[in-house]
């Protein structure tokens, strides 16, 4: 069995920055957001199922998923959202499990913005929250994505409040300084996870 660390945090909290640091320490990171896009790529069974369920309008002329049309459709229609999730969630979960199993590193990280909101946390032996104030989240995410502040606030309010995530996570890193400070806080945790992983596999 492998030791899996679940890494989460709200939008703009610094999940990707933390993930990149762990990757620089030769730890494989499986990103749930990337997996969610992969499973609806051309030729994937989940895309065929979505096409069959929703109809031709859900595809672009080149056969790829029309994300914008689908997003607008489910935004107005909770039943359609549920139908879509019933197709995508099992496919995402199966692919995450496979990638976690295939990974070759001392331990493996599953990074997901919705680790605690979904059952993904159950895949992890231990969890780490990258935490930041809402002001910092908005400032960083708006600089990164050129999204307007209103959109980012909407995403934040749809995610689990940080106080609740703080209670659920095994470790919490407050990312309120420079990136160097974040890395300095991650170093001792990485050493702890290496030791935990060794115990876990022995
Ligand atoms: P998330 O993946 O949680 O949405 P990111 O890691 O992408 O967040 O961080 C959001 C943006 O803020 C990125 O452009 C990132 O480089 C930047 N950032 C993250 N942490 C810091 C920090 N401590 N100091 C300065 N910029 C940061």
């Amino acid at each position: 069995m492998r030791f899996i660390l679940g890494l989460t945090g709200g939008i703009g909290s610094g999940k990707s920055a933390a993930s990149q640091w762990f990757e620089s320490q030769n730890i494989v990171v499986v990103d749930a957001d990337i997996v969610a896009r992969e499973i609806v790529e051309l030729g994937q069974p989940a895309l065929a199922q979505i096409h069959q369920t929703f109809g031709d309008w859900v595809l672009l002329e080149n056969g790829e998923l029309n994300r914008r049309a689908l997003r607008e459709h489910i935004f107005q229609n909770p039943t359609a959202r549920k139908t879509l999730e019933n197709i995508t969630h099992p496919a995402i979960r199966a692919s995450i499990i496979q990638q976690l199993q295939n990974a070759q590193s001392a331990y493996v990280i599953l990074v997901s913005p919705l680790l605690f909101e979904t059952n993904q946390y159950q895949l992890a032996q231990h969890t780490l929250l990258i935490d930041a104030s809402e002001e910092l989240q908005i400032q960083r995410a708006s600089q990164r994505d050129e999204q307007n502040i209103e959109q980012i606030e909407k995403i934040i309010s749809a995610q689990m409040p940080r106080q609740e995530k703080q209670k659920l996570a095994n470790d919490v890193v407050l990312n309120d300084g420079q990136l160097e400070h974040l890395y300095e806080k991650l170093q001792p945790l990485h050493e702890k996870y290496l030791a935990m992983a060794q115990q876990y596999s022995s």
Side-chain angles (χ1 to χ4, degrees), residues 4 11 24 41 49 61 63 132 136 159 166 171 181 197 200-201:
I4 296 163
I11 179 171
S24 78
E41 277 172 5
Q49 256 181 297
E61 269 180 25
L136 272 177
Q159 296 179 334
Q166 286 166 358
D171 295 318
H181 290 115
Y200 194 75
S201 62

Side-chain angles (χ1 to χ4, degrees), residues 76-148:
Q76 293 161 0
N77 187 339
T79 313
R81 174 186 294 272
K82 193 76 209 141
T83 304
L84 177 67
E85 287 176 353
N86 284 341
I87 298 169
T88 56
H89 283 185
I92 292 168
R93 191 177 169 84
S95 180
I96 285 174
I97 289 171
Q98 193 178 29
Q99 293 189 33
L100 289 170
Q101 279 172 350
N102 290 347
Q104 302 286 329
S105 56
Y107 61 94
V108 195
I109 292 179
L110 168 60
V111 57
S112 172
L114 301 175
L115 191 76
F116 293 127
E117 284 90 337
T118 62
N119 59 6
Q120 286 168 356
Y121 70 92
Q122 294 169 350
L123 298 171
Q125 273 72 51
H126 197 86
T127 55
L128 167 61
L129 172 69
I130 307 297
D131 193 27
S133 68
E134 275 192 22
E135 289 90 323
L136 272 177
Q137 281 183 271
I138 292 167
Q139 189 189 318
R140 287 173 184 159
S142 61
Q143 271 172 11
R144 182 192 57 191
D145 302 340
E146 291 171 5
Q147 287 193 76
N148 65 44

Side-chain angles (χ1 to χ4, degrees), residues 9-18 140-141 144 175-179 182:
I11 179 171
S13 61
K15 284 182 302 301
S16 307
R140 287 173 184 159
R144 182 192 57 191
N175 179 19
D176 62 348
Q178 303 199 323
L179 279 170
L182 173 66

